Amino acid sequence: MNGNGLAPEIRRRLIQACQRIVGPEGVVSAPDELRVYECDALTYYHRSMPDLVVLPISTPQVSEVVRLCQDVGVPFLPRGAGTGLSGGATPHAGGVMIVLTRMTRILGVDVPNRMATVEAGCVNLWLTNAVKHAGLFYAPDPASQQACTIGGNVAENAGGPHCLKYGVTTNHVLGATVVLPGGEVARLGGMVADGPGYDLLGVFVGSEGTLGICTEVTVRLMPQPEAVKTILAVFRTIEDASHTVSGIIGRGIIPVAMELMDRETIQAVEANVKAGYPLDAGAVLLIELDGPRAEIEAEAVGVEAVCRDQACLEVRVARTEEERALLWKGRKEAAGSFGRIAHHYHLQDAVVPRTKLPQVLREIAEIGARYGIKIANVAHAGDGNVHPMICVDRDVPGCEERAMAAGSEIMRRCIEAGGSVTGEHGIGLEKRDYLGLMYTPADLAVMRRVRAVFDPAGLCNPGKIFPDTAEHAGASHSPRGPSAVSKP
Amino acid sequence: MIGATSALGDLRAMVGAEFLVTGEALEAYRLGGRKPQAAIVPADDVEVSKTLTRAWEEGLAVVPWGGGTHQSVGPPPSRYDLALDLGRLNRLLVHEPADMTATAQAGIRMVELQRQLAQHRQFLPLDVPLPERAMLGGVLSARSSGPLRCRYGTARDLVLGLRVAHADGTLTKSGAKVVKNATGYDVTKLYLGSHGTLGVILEATLRVYPRPDVEQGWWLAAHDLGTAQTLADRILGSSLVPNRAEMVDEDAGRACRMPGPGLVVSISGLPETVQGQRATLERMAAESGVMPAEIRDAEGTWRALSDFPWVNVGWNGGGMRALWRGGAPPADCAKAMLAIRQAAPRSVGVSAAASVAHGILRGGFLAEAPEAVAHGLRAAREVLVAIGGFLTVLDAPAPVRAQVDEWGPAPDGVGVMQRLKTAFDPKGILNPGRFVGGI
């Protein structure tokens, strides 16, 4: 699909105005170059070209571009590295895409206060690497941390394997400089916690680029733990593995990570990266403990006991940093490894109460069998966050439709089990229709009210999150047709 | 007020005369010299909803009321017709120990909630002041916290979802009952700390934690606050995992039965965990020239620290007493505490403590003259604002309030806050005039 919906004359004037703001090198307008920006990492769902892409280098530039969009009445949206998995950075309504990847600086690391301030385009992993020397790290670690930006993490409230113990992005963001949809710049939160007033920062984090564009972020850094222990537990069945998860949490042990991979995932991973997962296993759990040495030694004993209770086939503890890195490589490459078993897959992100994990994983398997669709499972199991990978063979007629149907049934089962539609990927474009499974119209009306307060004109990343794309006269932002611009 | 009279009649008919309080008993709901026309004590969500709908229709100003411990925060309401007492919504609805989650109603008292969670050896790590009186809904509305935030965070980190009654009586939920959720906007965060100006919290789903096997505390008496800060920075930047790290000045120390300025640090976990970290802590203390002393009456000390300055500010005597809460960058706590003391008029007694991991300060001022107390508060606010912080008046007598703004300068984004208030409560019936920016 093509998002170029602006009248040529208006587009030309917009390009000129943006070039004046950010310089000619900061504007992308050639159609073949714009194609890069037609979707984020949700590639199968919807593609749409932005009318132009602007790459500002400062907060005032972002503000000016946003004001320009408001003046002209064109939609705009932010984009970081485009690693989002729900279509949050897909320019659904065309318009101006504001890309933050030229704002990558680490503005300051404050070791005594255990904080850092970065520009929104700073890559997640760069920050952890930059503070390592001070014995600190930045906890949220999405799988894409080598590429994804902190600003994008803020927009999506990104998680990651290590969020079981440390929490997700919202628990680590102390402040943000935000360009509000009207173009005003506001500093939400800051180095000091608990400031008076409504927690605008709290509602901004995870708002998927619909409440404004964050340009700078102040985050909390954590001291590195004294010791880390990484354990691979091997099981005959996924059921045994998931009972182990509940057993460990039920004992009051909170590992820093507890990742589950099923047989299909193990096969794919081993074919790809050879992490050393046993090929005959029904499931493995990758369990990591961190903290004071004495504590994790004691906890490791508890973890092993629970594993044995669940008829675990093997418990393997990484003895060296290399062994640990290899075990994690398998997990981190899991999604990438699915290319080995399927040409396409749909990745889901539901959350269920951790005690419901055995039941829900059983139901997912049943659903897969019923639809004749291969479903592989990886899960941030300690949080109850399941990532079923629904394999799609587009050469088989009807497979795509069956995969979609299986996907919605899985989603419904997770909600019925008391869960949530998305744990860390966000709603974006992909899951809009599922929102109503979880929230009543009255619940959603509250969210829309917030949206209308921040963005009365509805120009900031329109069409995302909410089920009906008609919000805020969405029709006038139709990606096709010259009516996309209400005011020249 | 014919509409109001008929509304009160309708409400009485709904809850029964026993639960529609009028007359002398309204003293308990007095705020800033003003009493409401009535106080209603609904039995459940539906009655809360109907109460609000009726108040909404008549434009009655409603003050949601829990244990009343934080009703002194902010100015008194600009209008006040009805106190909405949530004391009968007092149940723990669900506790899933294996999921480490619980859902409780707003009117449950904090001690009662903890008692019930303790039956499965779990607890909610919100060690707020006055837990015998404080109720969950009020604690969340005031975003109150205690020393345990050092390890476990605040309501922001612990609340997974809320059920809320809106100004017109609509009931909605936010968040979920699972520990991880990125579905739609995190509107839960807006209600936390909003002092009942956006909606009335009815129930909350909470992240709960296992009670530690052992907890050991140390009193680290320092020569001065600067030494205490250096030691605190060292501990908090290390791989130690303290539960609490509280810095107290001499007077706050006295309130908590500890001599002189210093640090209180506690560590919990399995016995071997605590032993393992003890050695490191003692070494760090020794290197700072500080002698650690084990705290014997741990429970008493934790309570005193949580309750400071609400219960005991460190000195006795009459006069004008003001309590405050402030924020500073964590590494500047000692500097701020010293500057606040220096900036206060000499006639003012000052005591202060800080949750040093997050830079949250709290304290009290005492003097005969309201002008002196107000001057102290304004000066303390200047000190904190200059380093990026803030100061909120928690409680003060009317003559002091007359001379100092309870919330201080408007924060960034106050325009958005005011528009949010208008969108959530267009008639302005929920706690009018009590919050930041005239909200």
Side-chain angles (χ1 to χ4, degrees):
Chain A
M1 275 190 245
N2 193 322
N4 290 345
L6 292 182
E9 173 58 18
I10 291 164
R11 180 165 180 269
R12 198 177 54 78
R13 278 162 48 194
L14 257 182
I15 290 169
Q16 283 172 354
C18 286
Q19 283 174 338
R20 275 196 297 275
I21 297 169
V22 301
E25 71 284 3
V27 176
V28 177
S29 60
D32 55 329
E33 290 178 69
L34 287 176
R35 192 158 295 284
V36 175
Y37 301 98
E38 68 181 357
C39 64
D40 57 17
L42 177 76
T43 52
Y44 70 83
Y45 186 88
H46 178 94
R47 295 176 191 219
S48 172
M49 299 253 278
D51 288 286
L52 67 150
V53 166
V54 182
L55 295 110
I57 56 167
S58 71
T59 301
Q61 286 190 355
V62 174
S63 166
E64 269 194 80
V65 172
V66 166
R67 281 184 201 279
L68 176 69
C69 292
Q70 286 288 358
D71 288 346
V72 181
V74 290
F76 57 92
L77 78 165
R79 174 183 161 116
T83 57
L85 290 160
S86 57
T90 296
H92 177 62
V96 177
M97 180 180 269
I98 299 169
V99 177
L100 283 305
T101 49
R102 285 208 298 169
M103 293 177 63
T104 59
R105 286 178 300 164
I106 295 175
L107 298 172
V109 175
D110 183 338
V111 174
N113 284 307
R114 299 170 300 280
M115 293 174 193
T117 299
V118 301
E119 288 184 323
C122 175
V123 169
N124 176 298
L125 192 61
W126 296 354
L127 177 57
T128 281
N129 288 341
V131 299
K132 219 174 251 176
H133 71 278
L136 300 170
F137 73 108
Y138 177 58
D141 61 338
S144 56
Q145 72 177 145
Q146 297 193 27
C148 65
T149 63
I150 305 265
N153 295 169
V154 168
E156 298 296 322
N157 191 15
H162 287 78
C163 292
L164 172 56
K165 180 168 173 183
Y166 293 124
V168 294
T169 300
T170 192
N171 306 109
H172 297 272
V173 173
L174 299 166
T177 301
V178 168
V179 177
L180 295 169
E184 321 86 298
V185 177
R187 177 77 189 154
L188 311 180
M191 284 180 73
V192 176
D194 288 12
Y198 298 139
D199 186 0
L200 300 183
L201 178 67
V203 77
F204 185 87
V205 175
S207 62
E208 307 192 32
T210 65
L211 299 183
I213 300 177
C214 124
T215 56
E216 290 177 19
V217 190
T218 300
V219 298
R220 173 177 296 132
L221 303 172
M222 313 261 307
Q224 287 162 9
E226 183 185 12
V228 179
K229 195 184 265 285
T230 307
I231 300 166
L232 185 77
V234 183
F235 297 89
R236 196 168 287 118
T237 67
I238 193 166
E239 188 116 18
D240 292 344
S242 54
H243 280 297
T244 303
V245 172
S246 312
I248 290 170
I249 298 285
R251 264 188 176 223
I253 298 171
I254 305 173
V256 69
M258 187 144 54
E259 300 290 300
L260 182 148
M261 285 164 273
D262 70 356
R263 182 186 300 277
E264 283 70 26
T265 308
I266 295 167
Q267 305 288 336
V269 164
E270 284 305 304
N272 189 20
V273 297
K274 298 204 179 359
Y277 303 160
L279 284 166
D280 55 349
V284 295
L285 279 180
L286 184 59
I287 303 165
E288 188 154 284
L289 301 164
D290 82 359
R293 196 175 306 280
E295 181 163 291
I296 66 169
E297 290 303 333
E299 286 180 347
V301 172
V303 165
E304 253 189 78
V306 177
C307 291
R308 303 256 176 253
D309 285 349
Q310 295 300 332
C312 153
L313 298 172
E314 184 192 352
V315 175
R316 196 191 300 167
V317 180
R319 285 157 304 180
T320 62
E321 185 50 37
E322 289 69 37
E323 285 185 12
R324 171 174 178 256
L326 189 61
L327 290 178
W328 271 109
K329 189 171 165 50
R331 170 61 187 90
K332 287 184 174 164
E333 300 284 326
S337 302
F338 280 98
R340 298 268 173 176
I341 58 172
H343 288 107
H344 300 278
Y345 59 85
H346 299 174
L347 172 61
Q348 290 195 319
D349 177 38
V351 188
V352 297
R354 7 201 184 205
T355 44
K356 297 279 170 61
L357 210 51
Q359 171 202 324
V360 166
L361 288 170
R362 192 167 55 236
E363 287 170 355
I364 291 173
E366 284 163 13
I367 290 166
R370 187 143 33 82
Y371 284 91
I373 294 282
K374 184 187 270 195
I375 302 177
N377 279 289
V378 294
H380 304 309
D383 283 324
N385 189 184
V386 293
H387 287 318
M389 307 244 193
I390 304 173
C391 301
V392 183
D393 187 342
R394 288 182 171 159
D395 295 337
V396 175
C399 186
E400 181 94 43
E401 290 70 25
R402 280 184 286 124
M404 296 296 257
S408 3
E409 196 167 332
I410 289 171
M411 203 64 95
R412 264 193 295 277
R413 285 305 305 129
C414 291
I415 302 299
E416 284 162 18
S420 149
V421 168
T422 169
E424 54 186 11
H425 297 172
I427 298 290
L429 286 172
E430 185 200 23
K431 304 188 200 76
R432 289 177 302 183
D433 294 338
Y434 296 125
L435 208 59
L437 291 179
M438 210 174 139
Y439 293 125
T440 65
D443 301 339
L444 292 175
V446 174
M447 295 187 197
R448 287 179 201 275
R449 207 181 284 159
V450 173
R451 159 88 164 148
V453 163
F454 275 81
D455 182 23
L459 291 174
C460 187
N461 207 4
K464 305 298 167 63
I465 301 181
F466 298 104
D468 52 319
T469 49
E471 58 148 355
H472 307 311
S476 71
H477 308 135
S478 154
R480 287 166 300 278
S483 65
V485 177
S486 52
K487 285 182 283 177
Chain B
M1 295 309 278
I2 290 168
T5 311
S6 115
L8 293 183
D10 292 350
L11 295 177
R12 183 181 291 110
M14 176 175 75
V15 295
E18 185 190 350
F19 295 112
L20 193 91
V21 181
T22 53
E24 287 301 305
L26 288 175
E27 276 306 317
Y29 300 97
R30 181 182 281 280
L31 282 174
R34 189 183 305 201
K35 283 189 298 186
Q37 300 178 48
I40 188 166
V41 196
D44 54 27
D45 290 6
V46 174
E47 288 190 1
V48 173
S49 164
K50 287 183 175 165
T51 300
L52 285 166
T53 304
R54 204 69 187 88
W56 171 260
E57 287 164 358
E58 302 300 338
L60 302 180
V62 177
V63 172
W65 201 287
T69 58
H70 282 64
Q71 289 289 2
S72 61
V73 181
S78 53
R79 296 188 298 123
Y80 187 12
D81 299 306
L82 189 63
L84 173 53
D85 188 326
L86 295 150
R88 286 164 79 199
L89 277 71
N90 58 1
R91 285 178 305 140
L92 172 62
L93 299 172
V94 185
H95 180 198
E96 299 282 0
D99 283 329
M100 297 205 295
T101 59
T103 302
Q105 287 184 303
I108 192 168
R109 295 201 192 266
M110 294 303 280
V111 280
E112 178 58 20
L113 175 59
Q114 301 291 17
R115 192 189 63 76
Q116 293 192 37
L117 295 172
Q119 290 171 2
H120 294 276
R121 291 185 48 76
Q122 292 190 338
F123 76 124
L124 174 69
L126 270 181
D127 53 339
V128 297
L130 310 169
E132 282 83 8
R133 281 174 57 207
M135 291 176 184
L136 178 63
V139 163
L140 302 183
S141 296
R143 218 196 291 145
S144 185
S145 65
L148 281 175
R149 66 182 290 158
C150 177
R151 176 160 182 183
Y152 297 97
T154 65
R156 270 183 123 247
D157 308 291
L158 299 168
V159 177
L160 302 170
L162 293 174
R163 189 165 155 78
V164 170
H166 292 262
D168 64 356
T170 307
L171 300 177
T172 68
K173 68 169 179 304
S174 66
K177 300 201 171 186
V178 287
V179 296
K180 201 171 177 190
N181 176 33
T183 311
Y185 296 150
D186 189 0
V187 286
T188 300
K189 299 275 197 297
L190 284 181
Y191 303 116
L192 303 175
S194 68
H195 286 263
T197 57
L198 293 178
V200 180
I201 294 175
L202 298 177
E203 67 184 53
T205 297
L206 305 156
R207 202 187 270 277
V208 295
Y209 282 86
R211 292 185 87 85
D213 292 2
V214 186
E215 177 162 19
Q216 175 64 55
W218 288 270
W219 167 241
L220 304 157
H223 301 295
D224 51 48
L225 286 175
T227 309
Q229 179 77 54
T230 309
L231 180 54
D233 292 348
R234 181 117 191 258
I235 292 168
L236 294 167
S238 77
S239 59
L240 292 176
V241 188
N243 270 9
R244 298 175 176 81
E246 292 288 307
M247 186 188 293
V248 293
D249 69 9
E250 203 173 327
D251 296 275
R254 190 183 317 128
C256 303
R257 299 191 298 279
M258 276 168 285
L263 273 184
V264 177
V265 174
S266 74
I267 289 173
S268 75
L270 303 164
E272 50 269 51
T273 308
V274 176
Q275 277 311 317
Q277 293 184 72
R278 165 202 291 262
T280 313
L281 180 71
E282 287 177 346
R283 178 173 50 75
M284 286 180 182
E287 285 165 12
S288 299
V290 170
M291 185 67 124
E294 269 189 31
I295 291 172
R296 295 192 195 287
D297 174 22
E299 285 308 315
T301 304
W302 309 152
R303 266 311 295 273
L305 284 168
S306 294
D307 283 341
F308 177 83
W310 293 91
V311 172
N312 183 346
V313 278
W315 10 255
N316 299 311
M320 296 282 160
R321 172 179 297 198
L323 309 181
W324 54 269
R325 184 169 193 270
D332 288 340
C333 286
K335 201 169 82 183
M337 282 160 72
L338 288 166
I340 286 168
R341 184 173 286 267
Q342 273 164 10
R346 291 179 60 182
S347 61
V348 177
V350 179
S351 63
S355 294
V356 71
H358 295 105
I360 298 299
L361 288 79
R362 59 202 190 281
F365 290 150
L366 180 77
E368 288 301 326
E371 292 75 22
V373 174
H375 183 269
L377 288 168
R378 287 194 304 266
R381 178 173 285 154
E382 267 176 47
V383 164
L384 293 169
V385 168
I387 52 174
F390 67 92
L391 180 141
T392 301
V393 178
L394 295 175
D395 194 10
V400 174
R401 287 178 188 259
Q403 299 175 56
V404 59
D405 184 311
E406 282 94 336
W407 294 108
D412 233 24
V414 71
V416 177
M417 294 176 196
Q418 286 159 341
R419 293 200 298 276
L420 277 171
K421 169 67 178 178
T422 307
F424 276 69
D425 179 16
K427 292 187 184 176
I429 68 162
L430 292 175
N431 259 338
R434 301 194 71 191
F435 198 51
V436 174
I439 289 168

